[in-house]
Amino acid sequence: SQQGEEDPQALSIQEGENATMNCSYKTSINNLQWYRQNSGRGLVHLILIRSNEREKHSGRLRVTLDTSKKSSSLLITASRAADTASYFCATGGNTPLVFGKGTRLSVIA
Amino acid sequence: DTGVSQDPRHKITKRGQNVTFRCDPISEHNRLYWYRQTLGQGPEFLTYFQNEAQLEKSRLLSDRFSAERPKGSFSTLEIQRTEQGDSAMYLCASSLGGLPEQYFGPGTRLTVT
């Protein structure tokens, strides 16, 4: 079963704009991860945020975590056409991951 | 570091046939996971190994599914008497025990006709 939901399900933006996607989860967590999946391919790990962290940055990525609301957000700044992909949040880690349904991001050049 | 590889990348089979997929994890990774992903959904956990021991199986893993990791290196996932509902992408991932990040292979796309 899916742990939570990403929102929105789909997002279309122009190149150079920022993209924000949200994730909600159901149970207590030790960490939350974000993965990217290009069409029909495997998943690539993007960033991990631990339960005692509120914000984390990696390059053009910014992740926030609000454990009181059981939610996380992923911000991609200055988007590029190559960012077109599906983005999933996942809980678990060191155990089987539980994924949401993902956000499909389209970046239009 | 060659990454996680899976073979075959695509498999088309007729209903009722058996299929077997192979996953080669990153060499030093002792944990290996199998997930299944259907269109428009996130991956769902099937089973995982630590070295050669199968530690957990999902309720999704019916008795037609079996997975092995005989020497703690590569793993195979077999589906017997395939059904159309088995059509999906089968993803393999590996990790170094104790670390949460998982590294995924490209997947095997199964189509049951």
PDB file of all heavy atoms in Angstrom, chain A residues 8-13 19 21 34-44 46 74 76 79-88 101-108, chain B residues 37:
ATOM      1  N   PRO A   8       1.091  18.321  -6.522  1.00  0.00           N
ATOM      2  CA  PRO A   8       0.011  17.814  -7.380  1.00  0.00           C
ATOM      3  C   PRO A   8       0.385  16.501  -8.057  1.00  0.00           C
ATOM      4  O   PRO A   8       1.530  16.082  -7.971  1.00  0.00           O
ATOM      5  CB  PRO A   8      -0.123  18.928  -8.420  1.00  0.00           C
ATOM      6  CG  PRO A   8       1.268  19.448  -8.561  1.00  0.00           C
ATOM      7  CD  PRO A   8       1.858  19.385  -7.176  1.00  0.00           C
ATOM      8  N   GLN A   9      -0.562  15.859  -8.711  1.00  0.00           N
ATOM      9  CA  GLN A   9      -0.254  14.646  -9.453  1.00  0.00           C
ATOM     10  C   GLN A   9       0.558  14.971 -10.693  1.00  0.00           C
ATOM     11  O   GLN A   9       1.385  14.163 -11.128  1.00  0.00           O
ATOM     12  CB  GLN A   9      -1.536  13.910  -9.847  1.00  0.00           C
ATOM     13  CG  GLN A   9      -2.267  13.305  -8.663  1.00  0.00           C
ATOM     14  CD  GLN A   9      -3.436  12.454  -9.091  1.00  0.00           C
ATOM     15  OE1 GLN A   9      -3.696  12.308 -10.287  1.00  0.00           O
ATOM     16  NE2 GLN A   9      -4.145  11.885  -8.141  1.00  0.00           N
ATOM     17  N   ALA A  10       0.294  16.126 -11.270  1.00  0.00           N
ATOM     18  CA  ALA A  10       1.027  16.543 -12.464  1.00  0.00           C
ATOM     19  C   ALA A  10       1.253  18.044 -12.406  1.00  0.00           C
ATOM     20  O   ALA A  10       0.423  18.794 -11.879  1.00  0.00           O
ATOM     21  CB  ALA A  10       0.267  16.159 -13.730  1.00  0.00           C
ATOM     22  N   LEU A  11       2.381  18.468 -12.965  1.00  0.00           N
ATOM     23  CA  LEU A  11       2.774  19.876 -12.920  1.00  0.00           C
ATOM     24  C   LEU A  11       3.507  20.207 -14.215  1.00  0.00           C
ATOM     25  O   LEU A  11       4.428  19.477 -14.598  1.00  0.00           O
ATOM     26  CB  LEU A  11       3.689  20.099 -11.710  1.00  0.00           C
ATOM     27  CG  LEU A  11       4.242  21.493 -11.455  1.00  0.00           C
ATOM     28  CD1 LEU A  11       3.120  22.486 -11.218  1.00  0.00           C
ATOM     29  CD2 LEU A  11       5.177  21.451 -10.249  1.00  0.00           C
ATOM     30  N   SER A  12       3.092  21.289 -14.850  1.00  0.00           N
ATOM     31  CA  SER A  12       3.729  21.705 -16.084  1.00  0.00           C
ATOM     32  C   SER A  12       4.191  23.145 -15.934  1.00  0.00           C
ATOM     33  O   SER A  12       3.392  24.018 -15.587  1.00  0.00           O
ATOM     34  CB  SER A  12       2.746  21.571 -17.256  1.00  0.00           C
ATOM     35  OG  SER A  12       3.377  21.886 -18.472  1.00  0.00           O
ATOM     36  N   ILE A  13       5.483  23.391 -16.167  1.00  0.00           N
ATOM     37  CA  ILE A  13       6.030  24.728 -15.981  1.00  0.00           C
ATOM     38  C   ILE A  13       6.965  25.065 -17.140  1.00  0.00           C
ATOM     39  O   ILE A  13       7.387  24.177 -17.898  1.00  0.00           O
ATOM     40  CB  ILE A  13       6.805  24.854 -14.648  1.00  0.00           C
ATOM     41  CG1 ILE A  13       7.965  23.848 -14.605  1.00  0.00           C
ATOM     42  CG2 ILE A  13       5.873  24.681 -13.462  1.00  0.00           C
ATOM     43  CD1 ILE A  13       8.858  24.012 -13.403  1.00  0.00           C
ATOM     44  N   ALA A  19       9.675  24.739  -9.388  1.00  0.00           N
ATOM     45  CA  ALA A  19       8.650  23.699  -9.256  1.00  0.00           C
ATOM     46  C   ALA A  19       8.596  23.254  -7.812  1.00  0.00           C
ATOM     47  O   ALA A  19       9.635  22.953  -7.216  1.00  0.00           O
ATOM     48  CB  ALA A  19       8.976  22.508 -10.151  1.00  0.00           C
ATOM     49  N   MET A  21       6.633  20.525  -5.235  1.00  0.00           N
ATOM     50  CA  MET A  21       5.746  19.383  -5.074  1.00  0.00           C
ATOM     51  C   MET A  21       5.736  18.984  -3.603  1.00  0.00           C
ATOM     52  O   MET A  21       6.726  19.149  -2.893  1.00  0.00           O
ATOM     53  CB  MET A  21       6.143  18.232  -5.989  1.00  0.00           C
ATOM     54  CG  MET A  21       7.570  17.844  -5.974  1.00  0.00           C
ATOM     55  SD  MET A  21       8.069  17.074  -7.545  1.00  0.00           S
ATOM     56  CE  MET A  21       8.606  18.488  -8.485  1.00  0.00           C
ATOM     57  N   TRP A  34      13.531  11.646  -1.345  1.00  0.00           N
ATOM     58  CA  TRP A  34      12.932  11.985  -2.639  1.00  0.00           C
ATOM     59  C   TRP A  34      13.739  11.287  -3.738  1.00  0.00           C
ATOM     60  O   TRP A  34      14.980  11.294  -3.709  1.00  0.00           O
ATOM     61  CB  TRP A  34      12.919  13.487  -2.866  1.00  0.00           C
ATOM     62  CG  TRP A  34      11.865  14.194  -2.063  1.00  0.00           C
ATOM     63  CD1 TRP A  34      11.987  14.692  -0.789  1.00  0.00           C
ATOM     64  CD2 TRP A  34      10.528  14.492  -2.482  1.00  0.00           C
ATOM     65  NE1 TRP A  34      10.806  15.277  -0.390  1.00  0.00           N
ATOM     66  CE2 TRP A  34       9.888  15.173  -1.413  1.00  0.00           C
ATOM     67  CE3 TRP A  34       9.795  14.259  -3.654  1.00  0.00           C
ATOM     68  CZ2 TRP A  34       8.568  15.613  -1.480  1.00  0.00           C
ATOM     69  CZ3 TRP A  34       8.486  14.702  -3.722  1.00  0.00           C
ATOM     70  CH2 TRP A  34       7.885  15.375  -2.649  1.00  0.00           C
ATOM     71  N   TYR A  35      13.006  10.716  -4.688  1.00  0.00           N
ATOM     72  CA  TYR A  35      13.588  10.041  -5.828  1.00  0.00           C
ATOM     73  C   TYR A  35      13.005  10.621  -7.108  1.00  0.00           C
ATOM     74  O   TYR A  35      11.868  11.086  -7.132  1.00  0.00           O
ATOM     75  CB  TYR A  35      13.284   8.528  -5.790  1.00  0.00           C
ATOM     76  CG  TYR A  35      14.049   7.758  -4.751  1.00  0.00           C
ATOM     77  CD1 TYR A  35      13.646   7.771  -3.413  1.00  0.00           C
ATOM     78  CD2 TYR A  35      15.176   7.004  -5.094  1.00  0.00           C
ATOM     79  CE1 TYR A  35      14.353   7.054  -2.450  1.00  0.00           C
ATOM     80  CE2 TYR A  35      15.879   6.286  -4.151  1.00  0.00           C
ATOM     81  CZ  TYR A  35      15.467   6.313  -2.832  1.00  0.00           C
ATOM     82  OH  TYR A  35      16.165   5.605  -1.887  1.00  0.00           O
ATOM     83  N   ARG A  36      13.793  10.539  -8.170  1.00  0.00           N
ATOM     84  CA  ARG A  36      13.343  10.956  -9.505  1.00  0.00           C
ATOM     85  C   ARG A  36      13.323   9.735 -10.410  1.00  0.00           C
ATOM     86  O   ARG A  36      14.199   8.871 -10.323  1.00  0.00           O
ATOM     87  CB  ARG A  36      14.296  12.000 -10.086  1.00  0.00           C
ATOM     88  CG  ARG A  36      13.868  12.548 -11.453  1.00  0.00           C
ATOM     89  CD  ARG A  36      14.941  13.447 -12.052  1.00  0.00           C
ATOM     90  NE  ARG A  36      16.070  12.673 -12.531  1.00  0.00           N
ATOM     91  CZ  ARG A  36      17.343  12.994 -12.312  1.00  0.00           C
ATOM     92  NH1 ARG A  36      17.649  14.065 -11.620  1.00  0.00           N
ATOM     93  NH2 ARG A  36      18.306  12.229 -12.792  1.00  0.00           N
ATOM     94  N   GLN A  37      12.333   9.690 -11.288  1.00  0.00           N
ATOM     95  CA  GLN A  37      12.239   8.602 -12.261  1.00  0.00           C
ATOM     96  C   GLN A  37      11.963   9.195 -13.631  1.00  0.00           C
ATOM     97  O   GLN A  37      10.905   9.793 -13.843  1.00  0.00           O
ATOM     98  CB  GLN A  37      11.138   7.611 -11.891  1.00  0.00           C
ATOM     99  CG  GLN A  37      11.056   6.415 -12.829  1.00  0.00           C
ATOM    100  CD  GLN A  37      10.010   5.413 -12.394  1.00  0.00           C
ATOM    101  OE1 GLN A  37       8.951   5.786 -11.896  1.00  0.00           O
ATOM    102  NE2 GLN A  37      10.302   4.128 -12.559  1.00  0.00           N
ATOM    103  N   ASN A  38      12.913   9.017 -14.528  1.00  0.00           N
ATOM    104  CA  ASN A  38      12.675   9.393 -15.910  1.00  0.00           C
ATOM    105  C   ASN A  38      11.807   8.325 -16.557  1.00  0.00           C
ATOM    106  O   ASN A  38      11.803   7.173 -16.126  1.00  0.00           O
ATOM    107  CB  ASN A  38      14.002   9.565 -16.649  1.00  0.00           C
ATOM    108  CG  ASN A  38      14.762  10.772 -16.155  1.00  0.00           C
ATOM    109  OD1 ASN A  38      15.572  10.666 -15.242  1.00  0.00           O
ATOM    110  ND2 ASN A  38      14.481  11.918 -16.721  1.00  0.00           N
ATOM    111  N   SER A  39      11.111   8.707 -17.602  1.00  0.00           N
ATOM    112  CA  SER A  39      10.081   7.855 -18.181  1.00  0.00           C
ATOM    113  C   SER A  39      10.577   6.439 -18.429  1.00  0.00           C
ATOM    114  O   SER A  39      11.535   6.218 -19.163  1.00  0.00           O
ATOM    115  CB  SER A  39       9.602   8.478 -19.502  1.00  0.00           C
ATOM    116  OG  SER A  39       8.611   7.687 -20.083  1.00  0.00           O
ATOM    117  N   GLY A  40       9.897   5.477 -17.795  1.00  0.00           N
ATOM    118  CA  GLY A  40      10.209   4.077 -18.046  1.00  0.00           C
ATOM    119  C   GLY A  40      11.550   3.605 -17.533  1.00  0.00           C
ATOM    120  O   GLY A  40      12.043   2.562 -17.953  1.00  0.00           O
ATOM    121  N   ARG A  41      12.162   4.333 -16.639  1.00  0.00           N
ATOM    122  CA  ARG A  41      13.483   3.977 -16.139  1.00  0.00           C
ATOM    123  C   ARG A  41      13.451   3.711 -14.642  1.00  0.00           C
ATOM    124  O   ARG A  41      12.423   3.811 -13.992  1.00  0.00           O
ATOM    125  CB  ARG A  41      14.471   5.107 -16.436  1.00  0.00           C
ATOM    126  CG  ARG A  41      14.512   5.560 -17.874  1.00  0.00           C
ATOM    127  CD  ARG A  41      15.104   4.512 -18.794  1.00  0.00           C
ATOM    128  NE  ARG A  41      16.503   4.267 -18.510  1.00  0.00           N
ATOM    129  CZ  ARG A  41      17.503   4.995 -18.989  1.00  0.00           C
ATOM    130  NH1 ARG A  41      17.249   6.031 -19.763  1.00  0.00           N
ATOM    131  NH2 ARG A  41      18.744   4.686 -18.700  1.00  0.00           N
ATOM    132  N   GLY A  42      14.591   3.368 -14.100  1.00  0.00           N
ATOM    133  CA  GLY A  42      14.708   3.182 -12.657  1.00  0.00           C
ATOM    134  C   GLY A  42      14.709   4.496 -11.917  1.00  0.00           C
ATOM    135  O   GLY A  42      14.740   5.574 -12.514  1.00  0.00           O
ATOM    136  N   LEU A  43      14.678   4.406 -10.617  1.00  0.00           N
ATOM    137  CA  LEU A  43      14.635   5.599  -9.779  1.00  0.00           C
ATOM    138  C   LEU A  43      16.036   6.031  -9.374  1.00  0.00           C
ATOM    139  O   LEU A  43      16.915   5.200  -9.162  1.00  0.00           O
ATOM    140  CB  LEU A  43      13.810   5.329  -8.518  1.00  0.00           C
ATOM    141  CG  LEU A  43      12.299   5.301  -8.696  1.00  0.00           C
ATOM    142  CD1 LEU A  43      11.837   3.978  -9.260  1.00  0.00           C
ATOM    143  CD2 LEU A  43      11.600   5.578  -7.367  1.00  0.00           C
ATOM    144  N   VAL A  44      16.205   7.320  -9.232  1.00  0.00           N
ATOM    145  CA  VAL A  44      17.477   7.893  -8.808  1.00  0.00           C
ATOM    146  C   VAL A  44      17.259   8.652  -7.500  1.00  0.00           C
ATOM    147  O   VAL A  44      16.351   9.486  -7.397  1.00  0.00           O
ATOM    148  CB  VAL A  44      18.029   8.855  -9.884  1.00  0.00           C
ATOM    149  CG1 VAL A  44      19.289   9.554  -9.378  1.00  0.00           C
ATOM    150  CG2 VAL A  44      18.314   8.089 -11.168  1.00  0.00           C
ATOM    151  N   LEU A  46      17.588  11.387  -4.853  1.00  0.00           N
ATOM    152  CA  LEU A  46      17.906  12.811  -4.934  1.00  0.00           C
ATOM    153  C   LEU A  46      18.416  13.351  -3.616  1.00  0.00           C
ATOM    154  O   LEU A  46      19.465  13.991  -3.553  1.00  0.00           O
ATOM    155  CB  LEU A  46      16.657  13.603  -5.350  1.00  0.00           C
ATOM    156  CG  LEU A  46      16.118  13.365  -6.755  1.00  0.00           C
ATOM    157  CD1 LEU A  46      14.855  14.167  -6.970  1.00  0.00           C
ATOM    158  CD2 LEU A  46      17.165  13.700  -7.800  1.00  0.00           C
ATOM    159  N   LEU A  74       9.326  19.402  -1.916  1.00  0.00           N
ATOM    160  CA  LEU A  74      10.533  19.442  -2.737  1.00  0.00           C
ATOM    161  C   LEU A  74      10.410  20.631  -3.670  1.00  0.00           C
ATOM    162  O   LEU A  74       9.440  20.732  -4.415  1.00  0.00           O
ATOM    163  CB  LEU A  74      10.682  18.158  -3.550  1.00  0.00           C
ATOM    164  CG  LEU A  74      11.804  18.134  -4.591  1.00  0.00           C
ATOM    165  CD1 LEU A  74      13.167  18.162  -3.915  1.00  0.00           C
ATOM    166  CD2 LEU A  74      11.690  16.900  -5.497  1.00  0.00           C
ATOM    167  N   ILE A  76      12.350  22.600  -6.715  1.00  0.00           N
ATOM    168  CA  ILE A  76      13.408  22.607  -7.726  1.00  0.00           C
ATOM    169  C   ILE A  76      13.457  24.023  -8.278  1.00  0.00           C
ATOM    170  O   ILE A  76      12.472  24.517  -8.842  1.00  0.00           O
ATOM    171  CB  ILE A  76      13.124  21.608  -8.856  1.00  0.00           C
ATOM    172  CG1 ILE A  76      12.924  20.194  -8.310  1.00  0.00           C
ATOM    173  CG2 ILE A  76      14.262  21.619  -9.880  1.00  0.00           C
ATOM    174  CD1 ILE A  76      12.487  19.179  -9.352  1.00  0.00           C
ATOM    175  N   SER A  79      14.217  25.560 -13.072  1.00  0.00           N
ATOM    176  CA  SER A  79      14.038  24.247 -13.705  1.00  0.00           C
ATOM    177  C   SER A  79      14.565  24.226 -15.134  1.00  0.00           C
ATOM    178  O   SER A  79      14.622  25.251 -15.830  1.00  0.00           O
ATOM    179  CB  SER A  79      12.566  23.860 -13.686  1.00  0.00           C
ATOM    180  OG  SER A  79      11.820  24.783 -14.455  1.00  0.00           O
ATOM    181  N   ARG A  80      14.943  23.025 -15.536  1.00  0.00           N
ATOM    182  CA  ARG A  80      15.472  22.770 -16.884  1.00  0.00           C
ATOM    183  C   ARG A  80      14.643  21.685 -17.535  1.00  0.00           C
ATOM    184  O   ARG A  80      13.997  20.890 -16.851  1.00  0.00           O
ATOM    185  CB  ARG A  80      16.925  22.308 -16.788  1.00  0.00           C
ATOM    186  CG  ARG A  80      17.826  23.250 -16.005  1.00  0.00           C
ATOM    187  CD  ARG A  80      19.134  22.576 -15.669  1.00  0.00           C
ATOM    188  NE  ARG A  80      20.018  23.460 -14.900  1.00  0.00           N
ATOM    189  CZ  ARG A  80      21.120  23.053 -14.289  1.00  0.00           C
ATOM    190  NH1 ARG A  80      21.502  21.777 -14.370  1.00  0.00           N
ATOM    191  NH2 ARG A  80      21.864  23.916 -13.602  1.00  0.00           N
ATOM    192  N   ALA A  81      14.697  21.618 -18.849  1.00  0.00           N
ATOM    193  CA  ALA A  81      13.957  20.573 -19.563  1.00  0.00           C
ATOM    194  C   ALA A  81      14.362  19.181 -19.070  1.00  0.00           C
ATOM    195  O   ALA A  81      13.534  18.269 -18.996  1.00  0.00           O
ATOM    196  CB  ALA A  81      14.197  20.701 -21.066  1.00  0.00           C
ATOM    197  N   ALA A  82      15.625  19.037 -18.673  1.00  0.00           N
ATOM    198  CA  ALA A  82      16.111  17.739 -18.194  1.00  0.00           C
ATOM    199  C   ALA A  82      15.504  17.348 -16.845  1.00  0.00           C
ATOM    200  O   ALA A  82      15.638  16.186 -16.421  1.00  0.00           O
ATOM    201  CB  ALA A  82      17.631  17.758 -18.085  1.00  0.00           C
ATOM    202  N   ASP A  83      14.850  18.267 -16.168  1.00  0.00           N
ATOM    203  CA  ASP A  83      14.174  17.948 -14.908  1.00  0.00           C
ATOM    204  C   ASP A  83      12.841  17.248 -15.136  1.00  0.00           C
ATOM    205  O   ASP A  83      12.204  16.782 -14.187  1.00  0.00           O
ATOM    206  CB  ASP A  83      13.934  19.218 -14.082  1.00  0.00           C
ATOM    207  CG  ASP A  83      15.219  19.874 -13.624  1.00  0.00           C
ATOM    208  OD1 ASP A  83      16.209  19.148 -13.389  1.00  0.00           O
ATOM    209  OD2 ASP A  83      15.241  21.123 -13.518  1.00  0.00           O
ATOM    210  N   THR A  84      12.393  17.175 -16.380  1.00  0.00           N
ATOM    211  CA  THR A  84      11.143  16.480 -16.699  1.00  0.00           C
ATOM    212  C   THR A  84      11.246  15.029 -16.263  1.00  0.00           C
ATOM    213  O   THR A  84      12.116  14.290 -16.723  1.00  0.00           O
ATOM    214  CB  THR A  84      10.851  16.567 -18.203  1.00  0.00           C
ATOM    215  OG1 THR A  84      10.605  17.927 -18.552  1.00  0.00           O
ATOM    216  CG2 THR A  84       9.651  15.715 -18.580  1.00  0.00           C
ATOM    217  N   ALA A  85      10.376  14.631 -15.360  1.00  0.00           N
ATOM    218  CA  ALA A  85      10.436  13.300 -14.759  1.00  0.00           C
ATOM    219  C   ALA A  85       9.282  13.169 -13.770  1.00  0.00           C
ATOM    220  O   ALA A  85       8.526  14.108 -13.554  1.00  0.00           O
ATOM    221  CB  ALA A  85      11.761  13.099 -14.024  1.00  0.00           C
ATOM    222  N   SER A  86       9.165  11.987 -13.191  1.00  0.00           N
ATOM    223  CA  SER A  86       8.260  11.800 -12.048  1.00  0.00           C
ATOM    224  C   SER A  86       9.083  11.847 -10.771  1.00  0.00           C
ATOM    225  O   SER A  86      10.206  11.327 -10.724  1.00  0.00           O
ATOM    226  CB  SER A  86       7.534  10.457 -12.152  1.00  0.00           C
ATOM    227  OG  SER A  86       6.623  10.465 -13.217  1.00  0.00           O
ATOM    228  N   TYR A  87       8.524  12.452  -9.758  1.00  0.00           N
ATOM    229  CA  TYR A  87       9.216  12.618  -8.484  1.00  0.00           C
ATOM    230  C   TYR A  87       8.395  11.933  -7.396  1.00  0.00           C
ATOM    231  O   TYR A  87       7.180  12.131  -7.294  1.00  0.00           O
ATOM    232  CB  TYR A  87       9.406  14.103  -8.170  1.00  0.00           C
ATOM    233  CG  TYR A  87      10.381  14.755  -9.121  1.00  0.00           C
ATOM    234  CD1 TYR A  87       9.966  15.175 -10.382  1.00  0.00           C
ATOM    235  CD2 TYR A  87      11.725  14.908  -8.782  1.00  0.00           C
ATOM    236  CE1 TYR A  87      10.854  15.739 -11.278  1.00  0.00           C
ATOM    237  CE2 TYR A  87      12.623  15.478  -9.670  1.00  0.00           C
ATOM    238  CZ  TYR A  87      12.185  15.885 -10.913  1.00  0.00           C
ATOM    239  OH  TYR A  87      13.069  16.436 -11.798  1.00  0.00           O
ATOM    240  N   PHE A  88       9.084  11.130  -6.609  1.00  0.00           N
ATOM    241  CA  PHE A  88       8.429  10.352  -5.559  1.00  0.00           C
ATOM    242  C   PHE A  88       9.059  10.650  -4.207  1.00  0.00           C
ATOM    243  O   PHE A  88      10.295  10.724  -4.106  1.00  0.00           O
ATOM    244  CB  PHE A  88       8.591   8.847  -5.817  1.00  0.00           C
ATOM    245  CG  PHE A  88       7.935   8.355  -7.064  1.00  0.00           C
ATOM    246  CD1 PHE A  88       8.637   8.304  -8.266  1.00  0.00           C
ATOM    247  CD2 PHE A  88       6.618   7.923  -7.045  1.00  0.00           C
ATOM    248  CE1 PHE A  88       8.038   7.831  -9.426  1.00  0.00           C
ATOM    249  CE2 PHE A  88       6.007   7.454  -8.193  1.00  0.00           C
ATOM    250  CZ  PHE A  88       6.714   7.412  -9.381  1.00  0.00           C
ATOM    251  N   LYS A 101       2.443   8.146  -4.828  1.00  0.00           N
ATOM    252  CA  LYS A 101       2.102   7.917  -6.230  1.00  0.00           C
ATOM    253  C   LYS A 101       2.898   8.801  -7.168  1.00  0.00           C
ATOM    254  O   LYS A 101       2.903   8.589  -8.374  1.00  0.00           O
ATOM    255  CB  LYS A 101       0.609   8.152  -6.453  1.00  0.00           C
ATOM    256  CG  LYS A 101      -0.271   7.126  -5.773  1.00  0.00           C
ATOM    257  CD  LYS A 101      -1.727   7.323  -6.131  1.00  0.00           C
ATOM    258  CE  LYS A 101      -2.577   6.240  -5.485  1.00  0.00           C
ATOM    259  NZ  LYS A 101      -4.012   6.399  -5.824  1.00  0.00           N
ATOM    260  N   GLY A 102       3.561   9.802  -6.644  1.00  0.00           N
ATOM    261  CA  GLY A 102       4.434  10.613  -7.468  1.00  0.00           C
ATOM    262  C   GLY A 102       3.796  11.843  -8.076  1.00  0.00           C
ATOM    263  O   GLY A 102       2.569  11.927  -8.216  1.00  0.00           O
ATOM    264  N   THR A 103       4.648  12.797  -8.423  1.00  0.00           N
ATOM    265  CA  THR A 103       4.250  13.987  -9.174  1.00  0.00           C
ATOM    266  C   THR A 103       4.958  13.942 -10.501  1.00  0.00           C
ATOM    267  O   THR A 103       6.178  13.800 -10.552  1.00  0.00           O
ATOM    268  CB  THR A 103       4.636  15.275  -8.430  1.00  0.00           C
ATOM    269  OG1 THR A 103       3.868  15.404  -7.241  1.00  0.00           O
ATOM    270  CG2 THR A 103       4.424  16.498  -9.311  1.00  0.00           C
ATOM    271  N   ARG A 104       4.192  14.062 -11.589  1.00  0.00           N
ATOM    272  CA  ARG A 104       4.793  14.098 -12.930  1.00  0.00           C
ATOM    273  C   ARG A 104       5.076  15.549 -13.300  1.00  0.00           C
ATOM    274  O   ARG A 104       4.159  16.342 -13.437  1.00  0.00           O
ATOM    275  CB  ARG A 104       3.868  13.461 -13.959  1.00  0.00           C
ATOM    276  CG  ARG A 104       3.676  11.970 -13.773  1.00  0.00           C
ATOM    277  CD  ARG A 104       2.901  11.365 -14.946  1.00  0.00           C
ATOM    278  NE  ARG A 104       1.679  12.087 -15.249  1.00  0.00           N
ATOM    279  CZ  ARG A 104       0.538  11.935 -14.586  1.00  0.00           C
ATOM    280  NH1 ARG A 104       0.472  11.119 -13.562  1.00  0.00           N
ATOM    281  NH2 ARG A 104      -0.537  12.617 -14.936  1.00  0.00           N
ATOM    282  N   LEU A 105       6.342  15.861 -13.426  1.00  0.00           N
ATOM    283  CA  LEU A 105       6.766  17.228 -13.749  1.00  0.00           C
ATOM    284  C   LEU A 105       7.149  17.313 -15.213  1.00  0.00           C
ATOM    285  O   LEU A 105       7.950  16.503 -15.685  1.00  0.00           O
ATOM    286  CB  LEU A 105       7.945  17.640 -12.874  1.00  0.00           C
ATOM    287  CG  LEU A 105       8.590  18.979 -13.198  1.00  0.00           C
ATOM    288  CD1 LEU A 105       7.623  20.133 -12.954  1.00  0.00           C
ATOM    289  CD2 LEU A 105       9.879  19.176 -12.405  1.00  0.00           C
ATOM    290  N   SER A 106       6.582  18.281 -15.900  1.00  0.00           N
ATOM    291  CA  SER A 106       6.978  18.566 -17.285  1.00  0.00           C
ATOM    292  C   SER A 106       7.538  19.976 -17.323  1.00  0.00           C
ATOM    293  O   SER A 106       6.858  20.927 -16.912  1.00  0.00           O
ATOM    294  CB  SER A 106       5.777  18.470 -18.232  1.00  0.00           C
ATOM    295  OG  SER A 106       5.259  17.161 -18.248  1.00  0.00           O
ATOM    296  N   VAL A 107       8.772  20.099 -17.805  1.00  0.00           N
ATOM    297  CA  VAL A 107       9.403  21.406 -17.945  1.00  0.00           C
ATOM    298  C   VAL A 107       9.498  21.701 -19.427  1.00  0.00           C
ATOM    299  O   VAL A 107      10.160  20.971 -20.178  1.00  0.00           O
ATOM    300  CB  VAL A 107      10.792  21.436 -17.300  1.00  0.00           C
ATOM    301  CG1 VAL A 107      11.408  22.826 -17.454  1.00  0.00           C
ATOM    302  CG2 VAL A 107      10.703  21.034 -15.835  1.00  0.00           C
ATOM    303  N   ILE A 108       8.843  22.759 -19.827  1.00  0.00           N
ATOM    304  CA  ILE A 108       8.746  23.091 -21.250  1.00  0.00           C
ATOM    305  C   ILE A 108       9.810  24.111 -21.608  1.00  0.00           C
ATOM    306  O   ILE A 108       9.898  25.168 -20.984  1.00  0.00           O
ATOM    307  CB  ILE A 108       7.335  23.632 -21.568  1.00  0.00           C
ATOM    308  CG1 ILE A 108       6.290  22.591 -21.166  1.00  0.00           C
ATOM    309  CG2 ILE A 108       7.212  23.988 -23.048  1.00  0.00           C
ATOM    310  CD1 ILE A 108       4.891  23.131 -21.091  1.00  0.00           C
TER     311      ILE A 108
ATOM    312  N   GLN B  37       6.080  -1.914  -9.978  1.00  0.00           N
ATOM    313  CA  GLN B  37       5.476  -0.614 -10.274  1.00  0.00           C
ATOM    314  C   GLN B  37       4.538  -0.736 -11.454  1.00  0.00           C
ATOM    315  O   GLN B  37       4.942  -1.195 -12.526  1.00  0.00           O
ATOM    316  CB  GLN B  37       6.562   0.422 -10.583  1.00  0.00           C
ATOM    317  CG  GLN B  37       6.014   1.830 -10.771  1.00  0.00           C
ATOM    318  CD  GLN B  37       7.118   2.844 -11.053  1.00  0.00           C
ATOM    319  OE1 GLN B  37       8.175   2.494 -11.559  1.00  0.00           O
ATOM    320  NE2 GLN B  37       6.867   4.098 -10.716  1.00  0.00           N
TER     321      GLN B  37
END
